[in-house]
Amino acid sequence: MTDINLSPLWLSFQTAAIATVIVFVIGVFFARLLARNSFPGKSIVEAFFLLPLVLPPTVVGFGLLYLFGKNGLLGKFLMKWFDFQVVFSWYAVIVAAVVVSFPLMYQSASTAFQQYDLRIENAAYTMGASKWKVFWTISFPLAWPGLIAGLVLSFARALGEFGATLMLAGYIPNVTDTIPLAIYFAVESGNMEQATFWVVVIIALGFSAILWLNWWNKRNRMRYTKQRND
């Protein structure tokens, strides 16, 4: 096998990790905020959050390009006040990964925060616990298995993002060449050996993430069953 530049692997891991941290914080915040509250337009807000999950990635990329382009609302603002451009940069890879992986984190977190009994939180409130303390000592630990699932799925989705990344970040060697982009342009150039290598890598990473998640869920179910029988 010819020498293969491993920069797509490190870039993919780096951007996926950063994107996952961002979507975890934002996803948990909004999921906790909306899970226990009802207000007019809540369904619209949740539909907006989940929209990237059903849209073609190229459509998501077009929207991001329209927003962050030199004539876009955010693009103009960033260029005018910070002399900073997102499009065709390493930051564009992160933005694309955040947007496409956020729905998975939000959906998992929202389900996790709705599964446990709300009376547990209410009991803590009646004993004088603050909302912050209740969240960290009750809500977060009880929702943790679901949050872990969202974390793993979000990372795997960010790692495999292609369409939105290509639209917003383009293909710049050693800057924006993630594994999916490396596969695409390897095939375009006729380098099937390199494309096959990266296909095997991305499949192995995705399979490992799902396998670990299944093991984690099985272990938690067994632990819960054991505690309930004791």
Side-chain angles (χ1 to χ4, degrees):
M1 178 178 290
T2 58
D3 292 337
I4 294 179
N5 180 13
L6 294 180
S7 66
L9 178 63
W10 313 129
L11 179 65
S12 294
F13 266 110
Q14 185 180 24
T15 54
I18 295 173
T20 302
V21 171
I22 295 173
V23 299
F24 181 78
V25 174
I26 300 176
V28 168
F29 173 79
F30 280 109
R32 183 65 183 87
L33 183 66
L34 299 180
R36 301 294 189 177
N37 295 289
S38 296
F39 56 88
K42 177 182 176 180
S43 297
I44 297 176
V45 173
E46 290 189 313
F48 177 76
F49 285 165
L50 298 177
L51 191 58
L53 197 61
V54 297
L55 288 177
T58 50
V59 174
V60 177
F62 177 83
L64 292 174
L65 190 62
Y66 188 84
L67 188 63
F68 287 99
K70 62 179 182 179
N71 295 319
L73 183 62
L74 291 179
K76 281 183 178 180
F77 174 80
L78 292 173
M79 183 59 68
K80 179 178 180 180
W81 294 101
F82 301 99
D83 194 25
F84 176 73
Q85 179 176 307
V86 172
V87 179
F88 302 126
S89 71
W90 175 75
Y91 298 98
V93 182
I94 297 177
V95 171
V98 166
V99 173
V100 298
S101 61
F102 173 78
L104 291 172
M105 186 68 242
Y106 172 79
Q107 193 172 43
S108 297
S110 180
T111 301
F113 283 125
Q114 295 180 58
Q115 283 184 337
Y116 59 83
D117 195 341
L118 184 60
R119 291 176 294 182
I120 301 174
E121 292 182 355
N122 292 335
Y125 288 135
T126 59
M127 297 176 66
S130 65
K131 289 185 177 181
W132 188 251
K133 186 174 182 179
V134 168
F135 174 78
W136 284 113
T137 59
I138 297 176
S139 307
F140 192 81
L142 289 175
W144 181 241
L147 300 183
I148 280 290
L151 196 68
V152 174
L153 291 175
S154 297
F155 179 81
R157 181 65 187 88
L159 200 64
E161 163 50 29
F162 170 73
T165 303
L166 182 61
M167 293 285 288
L168 188 65
Y171 181 73
I172 306 174
N174 300 321
V175 178
T176 67
D177 57 337
T178 58
I179 294 176
L181 266 65
I183 294 171
Y184 177 80
F185 284 98
V187 172
E188 283 288 295
S189 63
N191 192 343
M192 300 305 294
E193 186 179 23
Q194 182 173 322
T196 302
F197 172 81
W198 287 121
V199 166
V200 171
V201 169
I202 199 70
I203 291 176
L205 292 174
F207 182 80
S208 299
I210 296 173
L211 192 65
W212 184 90
L213 185 58
N214 289 336
W215 169 82
W216 165 266
N217 288 332
K218 182 179 180 181
R219 190 187 72 165
N220 275 279
R221 286 195 298 269
M222 292 176 60
R223 181 184 300 174
Y224 175 76
T225 302
K226 182 179 180 182
Q227 290 177 347
R228 187 174 57 181
N229 294 334
D230 289 345

